[in-house]
Amino acid sequence: MNDLSFFLPCAAGVEEFLAQEVHALTGRVGQDLLTLRGGVRVRADWRDALKLNLHSRLAQRVLVELAHAPYRNENDLYAIASGVAWEIWFTPKQTFKIETTAQHSPLQSLNFATLRIKDAIADRFRAKANGVRPSIETQWPDCRVFAHLTTDSCTLYIDTSGEPLFKRGWRQDKGDAPLKETLAAAMLAASGWWNPETGAVAGQPLYDPCCGSGTIAIEAAQIARGIAAGSLRHFGFEKLLPFQAHVWAAIKKEAESQVRTADIGIFGSDVSHRMVDFSERNAERAGVADAIEFRGGDALQRMPPAEGGVIMLNPPYGERIEVGGVARFGAREAAQTSGSADGDGGGAGDGGEFFPQLATHWKKNYPGWTAWVLTPDLKLPKQMRLKESRRVPMWNGPIECRLFRFDLVRGSNRAAPADAAT
Ligand SMILES: C[S@@+](CC[C@H](N)C(=O)[O-])C[C@H]1O[C@@H](n2cnc3c(N)ncnc32)[C@H](O)[C@@H]1O
């Protein structure tokens, strides 16, 4: 198969890191590798598509672009979809699903637009395969088609990933607000702990003191060990017609040969022992149980697990995830309510006391460490009475966040001024 045009969507703010990762995996540069808003476009071959699916930690999917044309109405969409050789990709005996997204499309109904594209695909198959046409299956389709509409252009893609790529296959136990694996990887890239261009890791110990189901620590450990992000899962391309089992087996074998031992301290802890248990089980499935030390304990009390390094976390925030441990207990006492601080959910802690206390604990016990905190609360540095030295915009799904960097200095709240006014 000749070169194809792929689009790899990613969370906003992650595009540059994804472009570095795609460059490392495909070797493509210049016009063959474009960083766009919300993703990266790369011209590459089919084998690259399998590698990107297997290795990318930052992409949400790997889509093959099959048509890009102007449109004005639903009939135009029908014509564009009729012109695509869908029969190269799947058979009329398979099921498919169409997902349509739009930005400023003039069309009244996206459902009707989707219906017309579906009709075009079905009619094309019917004409070519003696009246047989593939049927729609919305939950577990064999094949996914994506349509993206702008004001005046329509792009049609066939998906090679299947389930979105943040689903690595190891996180079967999770808490209320788990971080997407792709976002955890983006935090590691933005902090410089992991370089997606070279694959290298900084070699400093990494510690998540509010680890939940262990996402940040497990991503970091897999990166350090050279374990491919998708080594435990299946992909959509396995059901597409160009799939060749022997090519895929060779790519997987090559990936397995790149797994290495790495002796970097990676640590996680959580006030909830249930979460620690989840993290351990997840790490076991991810093949990194022996690379991470998980412990129970309050982030306000845990002492450094190494002499220095990087703290990285998305702390409890808002109604879904409450603060546990001493801060919550303190808040309750102040409110003169009853109940015990078991740290396993419940309670009314809003983090009000937690963040200043965390800052005090860090300044006293973690001088020399660098802390990276992902939060939707843009006032967090003020709440912590710490001055951030960087703030990186990132999106957690639809929620706009900042990844704040704090350089921890004993007993001081001073640090270099922020280098981005966002
Ligand atoms: C937003 S979640 C972190 C999710 C995690 N990154 C993941 O991917 O699963 C916040 C975590 O902080 C924990 N937590 C709340 N209060 C804490 C405290 N005082 N000390 C340590 N952990 C705490 C909660 O149990 C919860 O697991």
Side-chain angles (χ1 to χ4, degrees), residues 21-35:
E21 189 184 43
V22 172
H23 170 64
L25 289 168
T26 63
R28 300 295 172 125
V29 288
Q31 283 304 304
D32 280 350
L33 178 62
L34 297 178
T35 307

Side-chain angles (χ1 to χ4, degrees), residues 31 56 62 81 89 130 137 139 190 208 225 232 238 276 362 364:
Q31 283 304 304
S56 176
V62 181
W89 296 96
N130 296 327
E137 156 66 53
Q139 211 176 0
D208 179 351
R225 287 266 171 100
L232 290 174
E238 293 172 61
V276 176
W362 281 353
K364 184 165 172 221

Side-chain angles (χ1 to χ4, degrees), residues 104-115:
H104 312 299
S105 166
L107 298 185
Q108 295 283 319
S109 156
L110 281 193
N111 280 346
F112 187 53
T114 308
L115 192 71

